[in-house]
Amino acid sequence: MFNKVLIANRGEIAVRIIRACRELGLETVAVFSEADRNALHVRYADEAYLLGPAPSRESYLRADKILDIAKKSGANAIHPGYGFLAEREDFAAKCADLGITFIGPKPSSIAAMGDKGKARATVIKANVPVVPGTEAVGNMTDDDLLNIAPSIGFPLLIKATAGGGGKGMREVKSLEEMPTLLQSARREAESSFGDGNVYLEKLVEGARHIEFQIMADSQGNVIHLGERECSIQRRHQKLLEEAPSPFLDDELREKMGSVAVKSAQAVDYVNAGTIEFLVDKDRNFYFLEMNTRLQVEHPITEMVTGVDIVAEQIRIARGRQLSYTQEQIHFKGHAIECRVNAEDPFNGFMPSTGRITHSILPTGPGVRVDTGVYPGFEITPYYDPMIAKLIVWGETRAQAILRMRRALEEYRIVGVRTNIPFHQTLMDSHRFMGGQFDTRFVEERFSMDGSTEIKNSNAEIAAILATLVAHKQTERSAQIVRRNERDTSNWKWVGRWERMHR
Amino acid sequence: MFNKVLIANRGEIAVRIIRACRELGLETVAVFSEADRNALHVRYADEAYLLGPAPSRESYLRADKILDIAKKSGANAIHPGYGFLAEREDFAAKCADLGITFIGPKPSSIAAMGDKGKARATVIKANVPVVPGTEAVGNMTDDDLLNIAPSIGFPLLIKATAGGGGKGMREVKSLEEMPTLLQSARREAESSFGDGNVYLEKLVEGARHIEFQIMADSQGNVIHLGERECSIQRRHQKLLEEAPSPFLDDELREKMGSVAVKSAQAVDYVNAGTIEFLVDKDRNFYFLEMNTRLQVEHPITEMVTGVDIVAEQIRIARGRQLSYTQEQIHFKGHAIECRVNAEDPFNGFMPSTGRITHSILPTGPGVRVDTGVYPGFEITPYYDPMIAKLIVWGETRAQAILRMRRALEEYRIVGVRTNIPFHQTLMDSHRFMGGQFDTRFVEERFSMDGSTEIKNSNAEIAAILATLVAHKQTERSAQIVRRNERDTSNWKWVGRWERMHR
Amino acid sequence: MKYVTTIDGKEFEIEVVDDRHIRVGDRLVAVDFESVSGQPVYSLIFDGKSYESFVYQGEEDWEVLLRGRQFQVKVEDEREKRLRAAAGGGVAEGGEFHLKAPMPGLVVSLLVEEGQPVKKGQVLLILESMKMQNELKAPRDGMMGRIRVKAGESVEQKQALLSLH
Amino acid sequence: MKYVTTIDGKEFEIEVVDDRHIRVGDRLVAVDFESVSGQPVYSLIFDGKSYESFVYQGEEDWEVLLRGRQFQVKVEDEREKRLRAAAGGGVAEGGEFHLKAPMPGLVVSLLVEEGQPVKKGQVLLILESMKMQNELKAPRDGMMGRIRVKAGESVEQKQALLSLH
């Protein structure tokens, strides 16, 4: 049984995993790029080793170096977190070869679900409903895809087979625009995953994106921990998740949960995983894909079930049985997660980089913040812009929204722009409060302007604030000019000396 | 029903109450002293009014000014927090006179329990067991007390009748030393509470300090939310609390809980309150006193019961029924609170003041921090040294201890010394882990030195760290000297000019 | 000092009387204004109400982030205001536009050539940053001027990328 | 640069070879040492192990707070060490002791008078700070020297309160 875990990741998730290890009494090994020498995961781990330069390809994606460090440090397990090497079959297989426990599923399960095309084929065999789309598997050429597209019908989606997080995804409205979009999707997929393969899927309109957390042990027990509502997205990037979904009732939850379990069983799944579904207006649901790893938004499930998913992952990897049966999983209250990104919501969500000079975290009852940044830390352009996850729990959805609202109001981050104002505007949106949204909501029916009434009532205050700051600045620069005058007086005097004595 | 709440307090508890109000949709009014202009409670509240200079007597104890501000701002309720005006019958009565809801018990209950001597008499009538001591009520003279003392027996405790938090408390070993100690106890009581009255109580040896949280509504429903173990104290100041107590079983919990409820009923109690008990080695328990207010350590009860005590206080004050019956209160897991004080544990717990220049809060699953400070805030000598409460929850006591250990390790506060190392040493103590402690543990059987084995293994690292810092400093000052040499070169040149042309 | 402060075309006349008082229009009001922790975070107590805000200097105007809303605020003292009124207030519309890199990143591809006419909203260049492909678009119709970068080139924030006539 | 660093009487010979290497005794070891956020917080990666510590300059020695333990560390370069050895190393024991206020506060009462003999541990003065009455005691036996404060007086941190011969 392992006792030292290497965390092959960075940022908040590396910190999250270190916490779980420490609470289980396991030693931790961090790896880091040159940009991350002072990152929190390096500071919190028992050991830390440099991987290489900042770009991921030269650091966090260097499987060879990571395995060398595992050997050198004596780490006998690796937790991959999400992203980077988390869904790389070859990496999981190499760990096994070296006698290192990969804290995740078997390589074969990663392979079966990692290629999204293959995954569809696999679950179709297990009678799991899927979104209509390409069913052939493998390297389809542009010609193949252009031929098949009309039979699927428009609008449709081009998706990266190795994909995730909306990267390499394009929406296609007509056959005419498809060649260009295929090209750009492949380009993005190649640059994100080193694999330019894509497949097609019918675009389900008015759909919700709802996923189920499953946990499976090596004794063959598989349970689900309920769903997460992930429809609040922008450019296929999740921005906010909640559990439970306001759209599901107990009956549908049970039905989808058992399909999720069946999907996991279809690939002999072990450890934590997530089955993503699309749910249409009429409550038909379709398997989208399986994420064979820990999910960014796992904390909301932890908040409503009381299960520590990362600790449970580690226990499973140590060969233990699941700590819970399906009957022992109870849902209590409502949890919401806001992803705090270094992006300017008033400027097209443009990424923002720079040094965090000041920060105040919201705290208090029912609030959890998972973050890897702190005052003094530099946000670089090399990695994902997500700098924190703000998670709240409330007895009801309404209470959770009120709590999230006050937590967002309390949160201060200075030095980079963040999307906190986006989340604040969202919390004030009547459609969001009413649970009336689908995956297009943010892009199509949401505006950062919010209520003009509220805006007008604060305009005078904004005017006063700007005026006072501008006034302060004018006064200060006047003082600097005066001080400089004094400072240079000696030089003037030297000049006079020169002239006098020339 | 009120809609705007004035919070007559400062620091973490003012922030805690503002959060509860905001989550209930109530407007908040902060009050502040000159030292607290930039305090978090001022920044977070909807409105804020200056009370006066830093000393409490000129600010947070100015009931008259606070009531004026309530009128001016239209606040129709006041939450007193703990300390300051929280247990002042006259203040609660004045609120009622002005039609302002006092979020707490009736003035008569405060009076009945606020004078500790009267409280003993009241509960004795209700057949609640008390620690042997003075039963007469009122202003006992030193002579009265010296006469009674031998019949109680030594060692005994002198306690302030208006007291709380160990202020004005003295332990007396013999009649000879009693006059001096009476004098100093009265002096401290006078300065802390404006009331120099004291009473006597037998010192129960090997005792644990265990308290019960009760909640009562104005319809006459009274429930308890279980106990808190508060035996980890130093100079009668609580340092760490946990729930449940490792010393209690279900049977004793039920018995003490029903006595707690009976004690509250004896004074027609409404709102949140705490019954403090001493429990001796043989599990006999004695009523000590009732705190007729929100308690510092209320969050651990919130963590194990899921009840938001402050929100419930507000609901009760609005005339609502309790949200829970006794049967609906379930205890889940284990919670621990460490009080983080600005005190140097390596220097006799001397208070430490100064500006906080940097801070990183521990976060993640099961961790809550209630604090009123942030980087840039100045810790002044005017108020209580407690700057934060670190609270963790775990499925078991062992898990809570491991989680607290990792949270303490993560916590960074720079600018003032804190007692975090004390808590770290405590978490490593085998006696603490084994639940084997009483109220004397910290003072008599605990040392900050901890295991010498661990200390030795880190000594080399400490030596390296100090050497590298010293080396860096030497290098830096060398550079400054060199830079100054360059800077002054112009002046030398002027000197030369002068000499040349003289 | 008297200021004319403008938000969305609405003007506020604000006079800073002394450290503790301002006049808004005709009203004299007590203000308690502090910057927090030496950061561009400001706490304002105005009429008893407690506000906190981030105030940044933008390219031209001040940006005020208050309660989740952003305000573009122009602050001018009386003299500036008069000067601008005298100049006619017209800001040149048709001049040359210089596209600068809004963040550090990698130029993934250039979608236009020098001398080519472009339409408002047309994608000119793709910049990869933080693992996202960001499309930089033309702010108006025009003709491509000088292009200063090549595909595959890394650029710094604010580095000039290309011009539009 | 070579240093002799002492903790609890135990000496460590540490040579700073360059920015990335030190020699501890005979061992040459790679170190990665950084201060964090410009604070007296230091991150040290030594032999692969990651340590973080607060390092403060105390009155005489360095104070290192590491994993919940505090170490008093004396760092001397070789030259200082030799000078001290030559001087015999004896620090005067019996000299005058000046009691300074360890924190700002209010002198509640003075329990001694000038010229009075006092015993080690005897309470000399009560200082109220942060709502606590703090007893300041004699560090050794001696005779009271000059008393510089009165009861009821507010004092600053490090202000001289009284002397002990």
Side-chain angles (χ1 to χ4, degrees):
Chain A
M1 213 151 72
F2 57 83
N3 55 13
K4 192 188 268 194
V5 180
L6 184 151
I7 296 98
N9 216 305
R10 66 178 299 281
E12 68 85 18
I13 198 64
V15 171
R16 169 72 184 90
I17 297 162
I18 289 171
R19 286 173 171 153
C21 290
R22 187 149 292 171
E23 293 176 7
L24 290 168
L26 302 172
E27 285 188 89
T28 52
V29 178
V31 291
F32 61 98
S33 75
E34 284 169 5
D36 278 342
R37 168 61 183 86
N38 283 338
L40 221 44
H41 72 287
V42 177
R43 299 172 60 186
Y44 284 172
D46 296 311
E47 301 182 30
Y49 297 88
L50 179 68
L51 280 170
S56 304
R57 275 168 196 286
E58 300 175 56
S59 51
Y60 299 103
L61 289 171
R62 286 288 302 266
D64 55 336
K65 283 202 180 180
I66 289 171
L67 291 169
D68 282 350
I69 290 167
K71 275 186 281 181
K72 186 161 89 181
S73 65
N76 39 15
I78 292 184
H79 196 307
Y82 53 71
F84 297 128
L85 302 170
E87 291 177 282
R88 289 267 284 262
E89 174 203 1
D90 52 345
F91 182 67
K94 257 183 228 152
C95 288
D97 291 347
L98 294 168
I100 295 168
T101 306
F102 178 82
I103 301 176
K106 287 175 285 192
S108 59
S109 311
I110 301 177
M113 288 296 188
D115 183 300
K116 307 302 170 194
K118 266 190 234 162
R120 285 170 57 88
T122 308
V123 301
I124 287 168
K125 267 187 268 168
N127 290 319
V128 170
V130 301
V131 182
T134 46
E135 299 199 5
V137 168
N139 310 345
M140 297 185 80
T141 64
D142 284 7
D143 284 345
D144 293 342
L145 295 168
L146 289 165
N147 285 333
I148 281 177
S151 70
I152 296 169
F154 295 94
L156 58 75
L157 287 173
I158 304 170
K159 297 175 85 172
T161 56
K167 277 154 203 156
M169 195 185 289
R170 292 291 182 279
E171 187 182 326
V172 189
K173 294 203 184 66
S174 68
L175 196 56
E176 290 69 51
E177 63 175 15
M178 197 165 143
T180 324
L181 292 167
L182 269 173
Q183 217 181 335
S184 78
R186 284 191 194 273
R187 191 176 57 217
E188 198 170 284
E190 177 69 41
S191 109
S192 296
F193 314 109
D195 177 353
N197 274 314
V198 297
Y199 68 104
L200 305 181
E201 215 176 66
K202 182 162 179 55
L203 185 82
V204 179
E205 288 181 280
R208 287 176 173 253
H209 179 138
I210 294 174
E211 62 185 25
F212 273 72
Q213 175 71 52
I214 70 103
M215 301 286 306
D217 63 24
S218 47
Q219 286 79 32
N221 302 301
V222 187
I223 63 171
H224 73 85
L225 304 186
E227 83 281 9
R228 293 184 287 256
E229 165 70 62
C230 307
S231 302
I232 300 293
Q233 308 183 343
R234 190 183 156 275
R235 295 171 72 187
H236 305 288
Q237 300 274 356
K238 295 171 190 166
L239 288 167
L240 174 146
E241 300 94 351
E242 54 181 315
S245 165
F247 196 62
L248 255 55
D249 54 25
D250 286 345
E251 193 192 331
L252 187 52
R253 177 170 302 116
E254 206 170 306
K255 212 158 121 192
M256 291 177 71
S258 69
V259 169
V261 166
K262 200 159 63 175
S263 310
Q265 282 165 335
V267 293
D268 271 337
Y269 202 81
V270 172
N271 216 291
T274 295
I275 315 287
E276 299 196 337
F277 293 102
L278 276 188
V279 186
D280 71 16
K281 289 171 291 222
D282 307 317
R283 295 174 180 250
N284 300 307
F285 61 93
Y286 307 97
F287 171 92
L288 257 186
E289 61 181 52
M290 178 169 193
N291 295 317
T292 56
R293 53 161 166 86
L294 184 63
Q295 197 87 327
V296 173
E297 55 270 27
H298 74 276
I300 53 173
T301 301
E302 295 185 326
M303 300 292 261
V304 295
T305 60
V307 177
D308 184 328
I309 292 174
V310 182
E312 198 65 16
Q313 280 194 299
I314 295 170
R315 285 193 200 103
I316 290 169
R318 295 183 117 189
R320 305 256 185 85
Q321 245 189 296
L322 279 169
S323 314
Y324 309 84
T325 63
Q326 189 66 59
E327 290 66 42
Q328 287 170 324
I329 299 296
H330 302 289
F331 306 105
K332 192 179 175 200
H334 196 97
I336 303 177
E337 170 182 280
C338 288
R339 298 192 187 195
V340 177
N341 294 341
E343 292 174 345
D344 185 351
F346 300 105
N347 187 17
F349 291 86
M350 198 64 94
S352 173
T353 57
R355 188 177 300 278
I356 295 179
T357 55
H358 184 70
S359 159
I360 298 181
L361 299 185
T363 62
V367 175
R368 167 176 166 187
V369 183
D370 278 20
T371 183
V373 307
Y374 60 87
F377 189 71
E378 177 100 22
I379 308 299
T380 63
Y382 300 107
Y383 313 110
D384 194 278
M386 193 183 75
I387 55 175
K389 304 187 307 203
L390 172 56
I391 306 128
V392 304
W393 177 90
E395 284 189 72
T396 61
R397 184 168 188 267
Q399 204 207 326
I401 292 175
L402 284 163
R403 182 163 279 168
M404 181 58 87
R405 202 184 274 177
R406 76 100 176 138
L408 289 165
E409 178 71 28
E410 287 177 14
Y411 210 157
R412 305 274 185 277
I413 300 178
V414 188
V416 293
R417 305 294 176 109
T418 75
N419 65 349
I420 288 172
F422 162 80
H423 290 297
Q424 289 183 285
T425 310
L426 186 62
M427 289 300 128
D428 286 341
S429 142
H430 292 291
R431 276 177 171 275
F432 176 75
M433 282 193 252
Q436 294 173 306
F437 52 82
D438 59 28
T439 55
R440 296 308 186 86
F441 171 67
V442 172
E443 278 161 87
E444 295 176 1
R445 288 183 300 285
F446 176 80
S447 145
M448 278 304 291
D449 296 338
S451 138
T452 49
E453 191 189 327
I454 296 172
K455 178 141 183 167
N456 287 341
S457 73
N458 282 320
E460 185 179 81
I461 299 301
I464 292 168
L465 279 159
T467 307
L468 288 169
V469 174
H471 179 74
K472 232 182 179 177
Q473 198 193 47
T474 308
E475 279 195 320
R476 204 171 25 235
S477 48
Q479 272 164 17
I480 288 167
V481 168
R482 279 195 293 276
R483 202 175 54 228
N484 282 342
E485 277 166 11
R486 266 200 302 282
D487 285 354
T488 56
S489 59
N490 293 321
W491 280 102
K492 283 189 194 146
W493 180 84
V494 172
R496 242 178 284 130
W497 256 101
E498 285 189 78
R499 279 191 303 279
M500 276 168 62
H501 299 274
R502 196 168 288 154
Chain B
M1 213 154 65
F2 57 85
N3 55 13
K4 192 187 267 194
V5 180
L6 185 150
I7 295 98
N9 216 304
R10 66 179 298 283
E12 69 85 20
I13 198 63
V15 171
R16 169 72 185 92
I17 296 162
I18 289 171
R19 286 175 171 151
C21 291
R22 188 149 291 171
E23 293 176 6
L24 290 168
L26 302 172
E27 285 188 273
T28 51
V29 178
V31 290
F32 60 98
S33 75
E34 284 168 6
D36 278 342
R37 166 63 182 87
N38 282 338
L40 221 44
H41 72 287
V42 177
R43 299 173 60 187
Y44 284 171
D46 296 312
E47 302 182 29
Y49 297 87
L50 179 68
L51 280 171
S56 305
R57 274 169 197 287
E58 300 175 57
S59 51
Y60 298 104
L61 289 171
R62 287 289 301 266
D64 55 335
K65 283 201 179 179
I66 289 171
L67 291 168
D68 280 350
I69 290 167
K71 274 186 281 181
K72 186 162 88 179
S73 66
N76 38 16
I78 292 183
H79 196 306
Y82 53 72
F84 298 128
L85 302 171
E87 291 177 282
R88 290 267 284 261
E89 173 202 3
D90 53 343
F91 181 68
K94 257 183 228 154
C95 287
D97 291 347
L98 295 168
I100 295 169
T101 306
F102 178 80
I103 302 177
K106 287 176 283 192
S108 60
S109 310
I110 300 178
M113 286 298 187
D115 183 299
K116 306 303 170 192
K118 266 190 234 165
R120 286 170 56 88
T122 307
V123 300
I124 287 168
K125 265 187 267 167
N127 289 320
V128 171
V130 300
V131 182
T134 47
E135 299 200 7
V137 168
N139 309 347
M140 296 183 81
T141 63
D142 285 6
D143 284 346
D144 292 342
L145 293 169
L146 288 166
N147 284 335
I148 279 178
S151 69
I152 295 168
F154 294 94
L156 57 73
L157 286 173
I158 304 170
K159 297 174 84 172
T161 56
K167 279 157 200 154
M169 193 186 291
R170 292 293 184 276
E171 187 183 326
V172 189
K173 293 203 184 67
S174 66
L175 195 58
E176 290 70 51
E177 62 175 18
M178 196 164 146
T180 323
L181 291 167
L182 269 173
Q183 214 181 338
S184 78
R186 285 191 193 275
R187 190 175 59 216
E188 197 170 285
E190 177 68 42
S191 110
S192 296
F193 314 109
D195 177 353
N197 273 313
V198 296
Y199 66 105
L200 305 182
E201 213 176 67
K202 181 161 179 54
L203 184 81
V204 179
E205 289 181 278
R208 287 179 174 250
H209 180 138
I210 295 174
E211 63 186 26
F212 273 71
Q213 175 71 52
I214 72 104
M215 301 286 307
D217 63 25
S218 48
Q219 286 79 32
N221 302 300
V222 187
I223 63 171
H224 73 86
L225 304 185
E227 83 281 12
R228 293 183 287 257
E229 164 68 63
C230 308
S231 302
I232 301 293
Q233 308 182 344
R234 192 185 154 273
R235 294 170 74 184
H236 306 288
Q237 300 274 354
K238 295 172 191 167
L239 289 167
L240 175 146
E241 300 93 351
E242 54 182 316
S245 165
F247 194 64
L248 255 58
D249 54 24
D250 286 345
E251 193 193 330
L252 186 53
R253 176 171 302 115
E254 206 171 305
K255 211 158 122 193
M256 291 177 71
S258 70
V259 169
V261 167
K262 199 158 66 175
S263 309
Q265 283 166 334
V267 292
D268 270 338
Y269 201 80
V270 172
N271 217 293
T274 295
I275 314 288
E276 298 196 340
F277 292 103
L278 275 189
V279 185
D280 71 16
K281 289 171 294 218
D282 308 317
R283 295 173 180 253
N284 299 307
F285 60 91
Y286 307 97
F287 171 92
L288 256 186
E289 60 180 53
M290 178 170 192
N291 295 318
T292 57
R293 52 161 165 85
L294 185 62
Q295 196 87 329
V296 174
E297 56 270 26
H298 74 277
I300 54 173
T301 300
E302 296 185 324
M303 300 291 262
V304 295
T305 61
V307 177
D308 184 329
I309 293 174
V310 182
E312 198 64 19
Q313 279 195 298
I314 295 170
R315 285 194 201 101
I316 290 169
R318 294 182 118 191
R320 305 259 185 85
Q321 244 188 295
L322 277 169
S323 313
Y324 309 84
T325 63
Q326 189 67 60
E327 290 66 42
Q328 288 170 325
I329 299 296
H330 302 289
F331 306 105
K332 193 181 173 196
H334 197 96
I336 303 178
E337 169 181 280
C338 289
R339 299 192 185 193
V340 177
N341 294 342
E343 293 174 345
D344 186 351
F346 300 106
N347 188 16
F349 291 87
M350 199 64 98
S352 173
T353 57
R355 186 177 301 277
I356 294 179
T357 56
H358 185 70
S359 157
I360 298 181
L361 299 185
T363 61
V367 175
R368 167 176 166 186
V369 183
D370 279 21
T371 182
V373 307
Y374 61 86
F377 189 71
E378 177 101 21
I379 309 299
T380 62
Y382 300 107
Y383 313 112
D384 194 276
M386 193 183 75
I387 55 175
K389 304 188 306 204
L390 172 56
I391 306 127
V392 304
W393 177 89
E395 285 190 70
T396 60
R397 183 168 189 266
Q399 204 207 324
I401 292 175
L402 283 163
R403 183 162 278 167
M404 182 58 88
R405 202 185 273 177
R406 77 100 177 140
L408 289 165
E409 178 68 28
E410 287 177 14
Y411 210 158
R412 306 273 185 280
I413 300 177
V414 187
V416 293
R417 306 292 176 110
T418 75
N419 65 350
I420 288 173
F422 162 80
H423 290 296
Q424 289 182 284
T425 311
L426 186 61
M427 288 299 129
D428 287 340
S429 141
H430 292 291
R431 276 177 172 276
F432 176 74
M433 283 192 251
Q436 294 172 308
F437 52 82
D438 59 28
T439 54
R440 297 308 185 88
F441 171 66
V442 172
E443 277 160 90
E444 293 176 4
R445 285 182 303 285
F446 177 78
S447 146
M448 278 304 289
D449 297 337
S451 137
T452 49
E453 192 189 326
I454 297 171
K455 177 139 186 171
N456 288 341
S457 74
N458 281 322
E460 185 180 80
I461 300 301
I464 292 169
L465 280 159
T467 307
L468 287 168
V469 174
H471 178 75
K472 232 182 178 174
Q473 196 192 48
T474 307
E475 278 197 321
R476 205 171 23 236
S477 47
Q479 271 164 18
I480 289 167
V481 168
R482 277 197 291 276
R483 201 175 55 230
N484 282 343
E485 277 166 10
R486 265 199 301 282
D487 285 356
T488 56
S489 60
N490 293 321
W491 280 102
K492 282 191 194 145
W493 181 83
V494 171
R496 243 178 283 132
W497 254 101
E498 286 189 77
R499 280 191 301 277
M500 275 168 64
H501 299 274
R502 195 168 287 152
Chain C
M1 181 85 96
K2 283 186 188 174
Y3 295 90
V4 179
T5 299
T6 316
I7 296 180
D8 284 346
K10 187 168 180 200
E11 288 189 356
F12 299 87
E13 290 184 13
I14 298 169
E15 181 184 357
V16 180
V17 179
D18 60 32
D19 270 6
R20 289 269 160 187
H21 297 88
I22 62 171
R23 192 172 277 117
V24 183
D26 298 330
R27 271 183 308 152
L28 181 71
V29 203
V31 288
D32 181 346
F33 176 69
E34 297 260 343
S35 89
V36 178
S37 303
Q39 300 292 327
V41 176
Y42 298 89
S43 167
L44 170 69
I45 301 176
F46 174 80
D47 246 1
K49 302 272 185 301
S50 176
Y51 299 94
E52 193 161 307
S53 173
F54 291 72
V55 183
Y56 300 98
Q57 189 143 36
E59 300 271 305
E60 292 177 32
D61 295 344
W62 291 91
E63 290 178 21
V64 176
L65 184 60
L66 175 66
R67 299 193 170 168
R69 301 305 170 83
Q70 183 166 274
F71 298 86
Q72 304 287 337
V73 190
K74 186 184 286 300
V75 182
E76 294 170 300
D77 64 30
E78 283 185 312
R79 191 186 54 86
E80 289 169 336
K81 171 84 179 165
R82 273 196 293 268
L83 277 175
R84 193 163 64 90
V91 175
E93 275 283 324
E96 198 164 8
F97 167 76
H98 299 283
L99 178 66
K100 291 177 187 166
M103 58 218 162
L106 179 78
V107 176
V108 175
S109 62
L110 268 161
L111 304 173
V112 287
E113 288 172 10
E114 293 187 358
Q116 173 185 338
V118 295
K119 292 221 158 288
K120 179 176 171 178
Q122 184 174 342
V123 178
L124 307 176
L125 182 153
I126 296 174
L127 185 68
E128 184 175 296
S129 185
M130 286 182 162
K131 303 276 129 207
M132 302 270 286
Q133 307 228 337
N134 304 284
E135 299 179 333
L136 305 187
K137 298 174 182 173
R140 57 169 172 79
D141 294 356
M143 189 74 77
M144 285 309 303
R146 180 143 170 235
I147 296 178
R148 293 161 190 270
V149 290
K150 292 190 298 288
E153 194 175 329
S154 283
V155 296
E156 300 294 317
Q157 188 167 14
K158 300 212 172 157
Q159 183 175 332
L161 303 174
L162 46 80
S163 316
L164 181 69
H165 296 295
Chain D
M1 182 83 97
K2 284 186 187 173
Y3 296 89
V4 178
T5 300
T6 315
I7 297 178
D8 283 346
K10 189 170 176 198
E11 289 189 356
F12 299 87
E13 290 184 13
I14 299 170
E15 182 184 356
V16 180
V17 178
D18 60 32
D19 269 7
R20 289 269 159 187
H21 296 87
I22 60 171
R23 193 173 274 118
V24 183
D26 298 330
R27 272 183 308 152
L28 181 71
V29 205
V31 289
D32 181 346
F33 176 69
E34 297 258 343
S35 88
V36 178
S37 303
Q39 300 292 327
V41 176
Y42 298 89
S43 167
L44 170 69
I45 302 177
F46 174 80
D47 246 0
K49 304 272 185 302
S50 176
Y51 299 95
E52 194 162 307
S53 174
F54 292 73
V55 183
Y56 300 99
Q57 189 144 34
E59 300 270 305
E60 290 175 36
D61 295 344
W62 291 91
E63 288 177 21
V64 177
L65 185 60
L66 175 65
R67 299 194 169 166
R69 302 305 169 83
Q70 184 165 273
F71 298 86
Q72 304 287 337
V73 190
K74 185 183 286 301
V75 182
E76 295 170 299
D77 65 29
E78 282 184 312
R79 192 187 53 85
E80 289 169 337
K81 170 82 180 167
R82 271 198 293 269
L83 277 175
R84 192 164 62 93
V91 175
E93 276 283 323
E96 197 163 10
F97 167 77
H98 298 283
L99 179 66
K100 292 176 185 167
M103 58 220 163
L106 179 78
V107 176
V108 174
S109 61
L110 268 163
L111 305 174
V112 286
E113 290 174 7
E114 293 186 1
Q116 173 186 337
V118 296
K119 291 219 157 291
K120 179 177 172 178
Q122 184 175 340
V123 179
L124 307 177
L125 183 152
I126 295 173
L127 184 67
E128 184 175 295
S129 185
M130 286 183 160
K131 302 275 131 208
M132 303 269 286
Q133 306 228 336
N134 303 284
E135 298 179 335
L136 304 187
K137 297 173 183 173
R140 58 168 171 78
D141 292 358
M143 189 73 79
M144 285 309 303
R146 179 140 173 238
I147 295 178
R148 292 160 190 272
V149 290
K150 293 190 299 287
E153 193 175 330
S154 284
V155 296
E156 299 295 318
Q157 187 166 13
K158 299 213 172 155
Q159 183 175 334
L161 304 175
L162 48 79
S163 315
L164 179 68
H165 296 295

